[in-house]
Amino acid sequence: MKLKKKDFTVNHMGTMTIIPEEPDDIWILYNIINPGDYVTADTSRKVHHQLNDAKTTTASRVKLSIHLKVTCRDFHKDSSTLRIHGRNLEPNNYIAVGSFHTLTLERNKPFELHKKLWKDDVIEALQERENHEACPEAELAVILFQQDHAEIYLIGKGVTAMVSKVETSSSRSGGRKSSSSSPSSSNSKNVFFREVFTAFIKHVDLNKVKNTVIASEDSKKDEFRRFMISEAKRMKMRSIEENIGRIVVAAGGGCNGDLKDLLGEGTVINLMKDSKVGLQIRALKKVWDMVSSDSDRACYGPKSVESAQEMGAIETLLISDELYRSDEVAIRKRHGCLVKAVRESGGDALVYSSMHVMAEQLQQLTGIAAILRFPLPAIDDEDNDDAY
């Protein structure tokens, strides 16, 4: 995310020009743009022109700038866009003042955001995104072989994106399979591997992505790695040949495997041990293991976590950004204060984007959990389900 023309001070009104660059930038904007804010952006509108005979019309698209007072907004996860709905406040030749219009905020398109009050947490969220590494510099690429297809993922700080899905020929032809020892089977596997390899080099830049994991529950992972090395040598692809040591295999996938299970494997955890996303995955796995074993060194649910913080017991707080940046002012303020208190007491606070690979697992723990410095057996989680 790029921030331009920062004309504001904390806890006062002001304006900022913002250029979102990644999917998670759009998600952050969804959480910080509220009804009553003002958004100005360029858009286009279809305009009908009446010809001289007054019976024939033509249509064309014209570019214009619209200044909206926000009434509501919708986040579209699949396309990573944010639709802003509101009333137009400035007259132009095509849209009347006071009429409703919709602007679509998307990556690499600048817009201007005006707020009557710029709060600390909003500025912090934007600055964190501004300093965030670009999405192309993902921390991990994953090729996950399932029974009849392969999935390619890019995993970065807070964001997990499946960039490609490649089906086997038998899957595309309705499930017909040939004998695994037949020449046709070998040929179809090479065709499948070549399609996966093509998708991989299209979406993954090994000069930027730190590590790659090839995973399956059978021998495909090893076979594909050998195929990848062979193809790289044949095609003289130095980016792969020079980084082959950072391409590893791991057990996982198959008809019952998924990405979350794979990221819990020791090989993968070790690869990501120094990254922020690796820290988040390890922390959530640790909490989950502790909760499953009824350990007194972990708790979850808003009341239990807040009680633990009152006793200065939180070592690491895990919280979803749906709570931390909630639309509800009371919920947002409550969790903002909690995160601040944990950090001021020397603890860590990890905020999980809804697009994080482990977000669903954290949500099963009500969206908030904590690893404790010392056991607290008296904390009761019975009231967690209806805490909100």
Side-chain angles (χ1 to χ4, degrees):
M1 179 182 290
K2 294 178 181 176
L3 306 179
K4 308 287 186 180
K5 298 179 182 178
K6 305 174 187 178
D7 184 17
F8 67 89
T9 55
V10 179
N11 294 324
H12 290 81
M13 75 166 61
T15 304
M16 181 189 296
T17 299
I18 301 172
I19 307 174
E21 297 178 307
E22 302 179 40
D24 213 34
D25 292 345
I26 303 294
W27 173 252
I28 293 296
L29 294 174
Y30 168 71
N31 282 281
I32 68 169
I33 297 177
N34 299 310
D37 290 342
Y38 301 87
V39 172
T40 303
D42 293 332
T43 186
S44 64
R45 188 175 180 87
K46 190 174 183 179
V47 176
H48 295 273
H49 306 277
Q50 193 172 51
L51 300 182
N52 294 333
D53 59 10
K55 293 181 180 180
T56 307
T57 61
T58 61
S60 63
R61 299 201 74 86
V62 296
K63 293 183 178 180
L64 63 156
S65 181
I66 299 180
H67 182 58
L68 296 184
K69 183 176 182 179
V70 180
T71 56
C72 62
R73 68 273 188 276
D74 299 307
F75 175 71
H76 295 260
K77 183 176 181 180
D78 293 339
S79 60
S80 294
T81 58
L82 177 61
R83 291 175 66 82
I84 302 292
H85 309 276
R87 287 185 180 274
N88 179 42
L89 299 182
E90 293 184 354
N92 58 61
N93 295 329
Y94 306 101
I95 301 176
V97 173
S99 63
F100 282 95
H101 193 77
T102 300
L103 287 170
T104 299
L105 304 184
E106 52 191 315
R107 284 175 283 176
N108 301 313
K109 288 193 175 181
F111 70 95
E112 187 176 273
L113 175 62
H114 178 87
K115 283 180 170 287
K116 293 181 178 178
L117 184 67
W118 283 91
K119 296 182 178 179
D120 273 328
D121 62 330
V122 170
I123 298 170
E124 180 184 342
L126 289 173
Q127 289 175 339
E128 182 179 345
R129 293 305 306 167
E130 183 181 30
N131 297 327
H132 172 67
E133 292 182 358
C135 191
E137 298 178 8
E139 295 171 349
L140 182 70
V142 174
I143 305 172
L144 183 59
F145 285 98
Q146 302 287 5
Q147 189 172 19
D148 58 0
H149 68 274
E151 300 162 355
I152 300 176
Y153 294 90
L154 283 175
I155 301 172
K157 177 185 171 185
V159 181
T160 301
M162 185 171 74
V163 295
S164 184
K165 179 178 178 180
V166 182
E167 296 183 336
T168 61
S169 57
S170 62
S171 173
R172 292 193 294 264
S173 62
R176 296 190 301 272
K177 297 181 180 179
S178 58
S179 169
S180 59
S181 60
S182 69
S184 61
S185 175
S186 176
N187 289 337
S188 63
K189 179 177 286 188
N190 284 336
V191 170
F192 174 53
F193 279 178
R194 186 162 286 108
E195 291 177 352
V196 174
F197 180 75
T198 300
F200 177 80
I201 61 177
K202 176 182 178 181
H203 294 285
V204 180
D205 183 352
L206 287 178
N207 293 318
K208 295 180 179 179
V209 177
K210 297 177 182 178
N211 295 288
T212 299
V213 174
I214 306 169
S216 71
E217 64 176 10
D218 55 19
S219 62
K220 285 194 191 77
K221 57 185 180 296
D222 302 292
E223 293 173 6
F224 181 76
R225 188 175 188 274
R226 289 194 294 269
F227 179 89
M228 175 183 282
I229 294 172
S230 175
E231 284 294 285
K233 288 181 178 178
R234 183 180 68 83
M235 299 172 67
K236 294 182 172 56
M237 299 185 66
R238 294 184 60 188
S239 62
I240 293 179
E241 291 184 285
E242 293 175 356
N243 294 292
I244 200 65
R246 296 192 285 114
I247 302 175
V248 302
V249 298
C255 58
N256 296 316
D258 62 17
L259 186 62
K260 293 189 292 294
D261 294 335
L262 173 65
L263 293 177
E265 293 292 326
T267 301
V268 182
I269 289 176
N270 188 56
L271 278 178
M272 304 182 71
K273 62 183 179 181
D274 297 324
S275 68
K276 181 167 183 177
V277 68
L279 173 63
Q280 290 178 323
I281 292 170
R282 290 197 307 276
L284 188 51
K285 186 176 185 298
K286 186 175 181 179
V287 166
W288 196 265
D289 290 344
M290 287 179 171
V291 169
S292 300
S293 62
D294 294 323
S295 171
D296 294 331
R297 287 287 304 276
C299 64
Y300 67 95
K303 291 185 178 179
S304 295
V305 171
E306 286 172 333
S307 296
Q309 175 53 31
E310 290 172 1
M311 291 180 269
I314 295 181
E315 178 180 293
T316 305
L317 174 70
L318 298 77
I319 184 170
S320 70
D321 65 357
E322 291 182 359
L323 295 179
Y324 183 55
R325 300 186 178 99
S326 172
D327 294 336
E328 298 294 331
V329 174
I331 294 177
R332 186 171 181 170
K333 184 175 180 180
R334 175 182 181 181
H335 293 99
C337 290
L338 177 61
V339 167
K340 184 178 180 181
V342 169
R343 288 172 174 166
E344 287 179 346
S345 64
D348 291 327
L350 306 178
V351 180
Y352 290 72
S353 163
S354 66
M355 298 176 74
H356 193 283
V357 65
M358 308 299 281
E360 182 180 348
Q361 198 168 6
L362 179 58
Q363 201 58 43
Q364 293 176 21
L365 297 175
T366 73
I368 186 167
I371 299 171
L372 306 180
R373 292 189 174 100
F374 47 83
L376 290 177
I379 289 184
D380 187 358
D381 294 316
E382 290 181 359
D383 56 359
N384 285 334
D385 290 341
D386 59 357
Y388 293 113

